[in-house]
Amino acid sequence: MIKQKRSVKFWTWGCIGLLVFLMIVQMNDYTTAFQNIHFGSVFGLFPTIIRNATIIFVPMIFGAVCSRSDRSQWNNIFRYWLTAVGTLIIYYLVFWLFKPSVFNMWQVWGIIFPVSTSSSIILTTIILGLICEPYIIHFQAKYSTKQNLLLLILLTLFSFIFSAGMMSFHYSASAIYLVVDFAWGIFLSKVSITKKTTRRMFVVAIVSFLALLVGSYIFGSIYWQQSLSGWQMTWNRQFVLNPLSPILVLFVISGFVVFKYVIANITDKQLRFLIIGAIIMQAPIASKFMSAFKFASKSKIYELLFLVLVFIASYCLLEILDRILPRLKFVKSTTAYLSDQNDIVLISEHALKGLKNWAKRNRVSLFTWAWFYLISMISLVIVSSHLRIQLMNRQPNVIIYVLSISSFSIILTSIFLYAIFTILYFITTRYWISNAIVTVVLLGFSIASKLKMQLRGEPIYPSDLGEATNLNSLIKMVNQKVIIVVAVALIIVIALTIFLEIKVPIKSKKSWKRRGIWALLSMLVLLTPLRFNHENSYIHYLSNGFNNNAGFANPQVATQQYGPFLNFLNFLDMQVMKQPSNYTQENMNKIMAKYAKVAKSINKDRKQKLSNQTIVFNLSESFVDPYTFPGIKISKSAPNPVKYIQQLKSNSTYGSMLSAGYGGGTANMEYESLTGLNMGLFKTSSMTPFVQIVPKHSFYPTIGMNFNYASAIHDYYGTFYSRIEDYKRFKFNKFAYMGSKYKITDQKKIDKSPYNSDYTAYQNAYKQINARQGGQFINLISMQNHMPYNNWYTNNPYSGKISGDKKIYSSAGIRTQMATFVRGVQYTDKYVHQFIQEIDKIHKPITVVFYGDHYPSILSQRLVPKYPVQMHSTRYFIYSNKYARQHGAKAKLTEKTNYVGTSDFIAMMLEQTDSKVTPYQALLTEIYKELPALTINFGGNPGYQLISQKGKLIDPKTLTVKQRKLIRDYEMIQYDMTSGNSYSLENKNFYK
């Protein structure tokens, strides 16, 4: 008898173990792998059959076993839910530990509420089935076996007929249909089945399996034939194999009957093992879990070993949960109560009473958290624009935006506020005083940020705290009415705080030591922003998981999205460059002296003075020669969109510029062109120097400082990238943008485009050129070809004329966007032609440096690793007008023009105009002449890359000693002007 029990236990555990292992294997989709086997189209169906059969089979098992359980249904639901949550916690923690970059707070939400967030459809089906279990048992008891069988067959058929064509079994709602399978399990567990019936069902299982294969082929042929014929297909491609398919249900039922003896002996512990398997199989991270472990992808043997290890870990987790969960006070009391209770009304009343008592015990903490969440939201309302957030293409209501999208960033702000409160409470021991200080500081800071954004177009940065010493001057800039309102508000807050401290005192029930520990932990929390911008750090990923994506591109909008306080924290520690080992003032002086000599040597052969020239740096938004896109074909019947600019190759310096961005990064390219510094030398290319570096300086050297007059023109809003304030630091005399005191004239939009056309940009540039007699510098930024590319040009000659690589241009949406983009480029070509014709008529030396800042974000970034240089290369040219050429300027440079960095433009422009150089410009000239093109690492790694004139990567190890020394000098100067002590600014003759 004992041997028989051991044998039953062995076979039961063996079958359950095999089933759980099959569930773990299904973390990955092996359909493609099976299709690669001989007769792949047959084997390719196996993973789908196994996956969908599992979704049916497991609820059947639970229906059969739980229907004979002595425990109440709610006790079972609670215990299975607890097992699921425990599994999800461990599952996600391991995943985040090895792949922290994917962390987000919605995943945490999914752990706590696995049913509503569709963590596992199997789990949801089991819980829903258990809720319905008493009703199913009671209903089935009324009817005979044949009547129940007929009813279940009809329900199975109706479920299939009503929903199989559209149902996607990824969401919890699908479980409503799968409860029928749970009912099948209850029914089959009570039916007496003979050995003869079992043998027949084994044959049925084989026949139904073959029917699944044949049926899939027949339906697949019909489906694809209709789809290729242009029919609008709404049916599920896995019509025959989906979990509601009667054939698949028959296959699973027959398998259930064959293994009924084993199923009848399954224990409660084994059911919980199945719950763990279901979570590992279906949790949202399941498909990505294996990729977090590099060794698993080395070979199929390692992959199998990994799956075995996960299986062993799953069983170990079952044992751990069995030992830990029953000991928890909450679990003990809940299971004890539920074991004798089935009435849902009484259970709900008991739960509400418990929740009420818990809230009463923790009312102070709950009030504090709720208050900090509320004032965090109020801070967003304060910095909003009339309760609107000014995004690029929409202006959502701030309250709706916070509650729907940015709620977790508000929670993160609340965490920091609570940490500050905890420290203050520990020091003062006064609840209301500590709370009031936090409230006043946050709201005061929000009002100050709002005022600064109104006055200067940017929020408060950490670097602004030094301005507190000029408080008297700052107060004079603020409207006196605002000061009066703030003063009155402060008086009211102080009075209210004193009243509350006297009438409603709150004393902490925690001991001095416990409060001290919480204060220390709070200090650690407040230190975390110092790691927000350290890429590949856990804190960086944790911050991102709270939806705190530092908005360096547009700090004003980021302040409205995440709140002024959180945005301020994002700027606390900007990782820019690692300090060179030999960085000292003495060595900086040596470098400056060295290039002063180089400048003197260069200037012997240069005749022109730069300040007498008119120089236009023209950043053309997203301008790329369409013919350089990977795999593109533009019909020969369509006009050449860049006919004129391509012709400039013969009479101007012309080639490809290496961009540090793809689909974005405009300000970084502008920064490189104006300063001559290179993004590749920074610690990361994801930073934005305009926002993270320039605001630290009251003055920042650019090419514009070499002129008596410098201006900028942008035919869009000027708040992006802190341009308004940064141009002041560049000592630009004027910045004309939409809404500035300098009007943008000749505003012209093309068809449905929301942006001003390049015609507007060039007309304003032309007027600025004629506005001054002598030389000047103009930084011209266009907006016409900015994303999105929403088919806004009527009668587009490129519609239907774009094709190419099927893997890249198969989508109609991509072809439409590309046609829109190409049409925009054609307009740019037209207006560039007009502009150059106009400046050729002007009798003063004018040189235009034209460049596209980056590729448009039309093609998937997944293509970038395949075409790294190509998809970071835009078109540029440097054109000197007739008068400039007649008075010493070169028509074109003939060496090292195929591939250049944006940071090379200053040196190239100086050479083409035959202008004398400063010591710093001498360094840039040496960099341009002696080194390959310098740019960021396109692989995403820190550091720079070198590109040859043929567009090939060059190994830095092949550089000569002289070239390496040159890069070290360049790095030293860039560090000095970005992260160092700005020694070079003290030398008045180095930059100017």
Side-chain angles (χ1 to χ4, degrees), residues 610 613-620 673-674 703 707 709 711-713 761-762 764-770 775-782 835-836 839 842 844-851 877-880 905 909 913:
L610 182 60
Q613 309 281 325
T614 294
I615 305 296
V616 181
F617 273 28
N618 176 201
L619 185 156
S620 183
S673 69
L674 293 175
I703 185 62
F707 296 82
Y709 191 90
S711 63
I713 300 170
Y762 289 123
N764 280 268
Y766 181 74
K767 289 180 179 180
Q768 179 59 43
I769 290 171
N770 289 322
Q776 63 174 311
F777 175 79
I778 301 172
N779 186 44
L780 175 65
I781 309 165
S782 73
F835 181 60
I836 287 181
I839 64 172
I842 299 175
K844 60 180 178 181
I846 303 171
T847 295
V848 178
V849 178
F850 171 99
Y851 62 100
F877 66 79
I878 303 176
Y879 179 85
S880 296
F905 286 152
M909 176 273 295
T913 58

Side-chain angles (χ1 to χ4, degrees), residues 61-173:
I61 293 174
F62 274 83
V65 178
C66 291
S67 63
R68 67 169 194 264
S69 174
D70 294 332
R71 290 191 181 91
S72 74
Q73 62 184 115
W74 296 103
N75 200 328
N76 282 331
I77 289 171
F78 175 70
R79 292 165 64 255
Y80 296 150
W81 172 83
L82 210 58
T83 301
V85 170
T87 304
L88 283 166
I89 290 172
I90 301 301
Y91 199 17
Y92 274 93
L93 283 176
V94 173
F95 184 54
W96 293 333
L97 182 65
F98 288 92
K99 204 166 185 179
S101 60
V102 300
F103 170 80
N104 69 73
M105 283 300 293
W106 286 114
Q107 293 170 339
V108 177
W109 189 262
I111 291 173
I112 303 170
F113 302 100
V115 173
S116 61
T117 55
S118 305
S119 290
S120 168
I121 193 173
I122 292 176
L123 174 69
T124 306
T125 304
I126 292 166
I127 290 177
L128 194 57
L130 286 169
I131 293 172
C132 300
E133 181 189 65
Y135 307 102
I136 296 172
I137 293 173
H138 179 72
F139 186 84
Q140 290 183 353
K142 290 182 177 181
Y143 300 97
S144 66
T145 301
K146 289 184 179 179
Q147 288 173 324
N148 277 308
L149 179 62
L150 178 62
L151 181 61
L152 286 170
I153 291 172
L154 288 174
L155 285 173
T156 302
L157 291 172
F158 283 139
S159 297
F160 176 69
I161 292 169
F162 290 140
S163 62
M166 296 290 290
M167 183 62 66
S168 174
F169 291 87
H170 298 102
Y171 304 104
S172 293

Side-chain angles (χ1 to χ4, degrees), residues 722-740:
S722 298
R723 282 193 180 106
I724 296 173
E725 285 303 305
D726 283 356
Y727 286 167
K728 292 177 183 177
R729 296 177 179 106
F730 296 159
K731 304 302 179 186
F732 282 8
N733 301 85
K734 171 184 174 181
F735 178 26
Y737 58 90
M738 296 285 291
S740 71

Side-chain angles (χ1 to χ4, degrees), residues 400-423:
I400 295 173
Y401 184 86
V402 167
L403 294 177
S404 61
I405 297 175
S406 196
S407 56
F408 288 124
S409 61
I410 296 299
I411 292 173
L412 184 58
T413 302
S414 303
I415 291 172
F416 285 116
L417 295 179
Y418 194 85
I420 296 171
F421 164 80
T422 301
I423 295 170

Side-chain angles (χ1 to χ4, degrees), residues 273-567:
F273 195 26
L274 288 176
I275 292 287
I276 292 174
I279 294 299
I280 293 174
M281 169 187 170
Q282 292 190 314
I285 61 168
S287 61
K288 305 171 187 175
F289 187 75
M290 188 178 291
S291 64
F293 301 84
K294 293 181 180 179
F295 85 92
S297 61
K298 289 184 178 180
S299 67
K300 292 298 178 183
I301 295 175
Y302 281 101
E303 190 173 310
L304 178 61
L305 176 62
F306 175 80
L307 294 171
V308 171
L309 290 174
V310 173
F311 174 77
I312 295 171
S314 301
Y315 183 78
C316 292
L317 176 61
L318 176 66
E319 294 291 340
I320 292 169
L321 293 176
D322 272 357
R323 282 164 173 74
I324 293 176
L325 292 179
R327 297 180 181 179
L328 299 176
K329 185 178 179 180
F330 164 70
V331 175
K332 280 183 180 180
S333 60
T334 304
T335 51
Y337 174 78
L338 291 176
S339 61
D340 300 321
Q341 187 59 261
N342 270 323
D343 192 328
I344 183 62
V345 176
L346 293 177
I347 292 172
S348 299
E349 287 179 353
H350 181 81
L352 288 172
K353 184 179 179 181
L355 184 63
K356 184 179 179 181
N357 290 334
W358 175 85
K360 188 175 181 180
R361 291 193 304 270
N362 297 278
R363 59 184 180 275
V364 175
S365 295
L366 290 173
F367 168 78
T368 308
W369 279 105
W371 177 251
F372 289 155
Y373 188 88
L374 176 62
I375 63 171
S376 297
M377 287 190 63
I378 292 173
S379 71
L380 262 79
V381 171
I382 289 171
V383 297
S384 66
S385 300
H386 305 291
L387 294 180
R388 296 283 174 180
I389 296 176
Q390 304 298 314
L391 301 181
M392 176 73 75
N393 297 309
R394 58 195 179 96
Q395 296 180 353
N397 179 275
V398 62
I399 304 297
I400 295 173
Y401 184 86
V402 167
L403 294 177
S404 61
I405 297 175
S406 196
S407 56
F408 288 124
S409 61
I410 296 299
I411 292 173
L412 184 58
T413 302
S414 303
I415 291 172
F416 285 116
L417 295 179
Y418 194 85
I420 296 171
F421 164 80
T422 301
I423 295 170
L424 290 171
Y425 196 17
F426 174 74
I427 296 170
T428 66
T429 69
R430 301 286 183 176
Y431 176 86
W432 293 110
I433 290 176
S434 303
N435 195 318
I437 291 173
V438 174
T439 302
V440 169
V441 168
L442 177 67
L443 298 183
F445 182 81
S446 303
I447 293 169
S449 290
K450 175 69 172 181
L451 292 173
K452 189 185 176 194
M453 287 195 294
Q454 289 177 339
L455 294 171
R456 297 170 58 176
E458 63 182 14
I460 294 176
Y461 299 124
S463 56
D464 293 327
L465 295 182
E467 295 295 319
T469 56
N470 300 316
L471 188 59
N472 292 332
S473 300
L474 293 173
I475 290 175
K476 292 176 182 177
M477 299 179 188
V478 181
N479 190 302
Q480 295 301 307
K481 291 182 180 179
V482 174
I483 296 174
I484 294 171
V485 171
V486 170
V488 171
L490 276 174
I491 293 170
I492 294 172
V493 169
I494 292 170
L496 182 61
T497 303
I498 294 172
F499 172 81
L500 291 171
E501 284 290 353
I502 295 172
K503 296 294 183 181
V504 194
I506 296 176
K507 293 184 178 181
S508 176
K509 297 178 181 180
K510 296 177 183 176
S511 66
W512 183 88
K513 289 183 179 180
R514 287 187 65 186
R515 288 191 294 112
I517 292 171
W518 277 108
L520 287 173
L521 291 174
S522 297
M523 289 181 68
L524 292 176
V525 170
L526 292 176
L527 290 175
T528 57
L530 298 178
R531 303 286 297 178
F532 274 3
N533 299 309
H534 289 245
E535 292 187 354
N536 303 319
S537 71
Y538 284 105
I539 290 176
H540 172 76
Y541 295 129
L542 186 65
S543 170
N544 287 352
F546 275 91
N547 195 35
N548 178 33
N549 300 310
F552 299 136
N554 194 337
Q556 185 168 353
V557 171
T559 301
Q560 294 180 340
Q561 286 181 290
Y562 311 120
F565 183 68
L566 196 56
N567 193 61

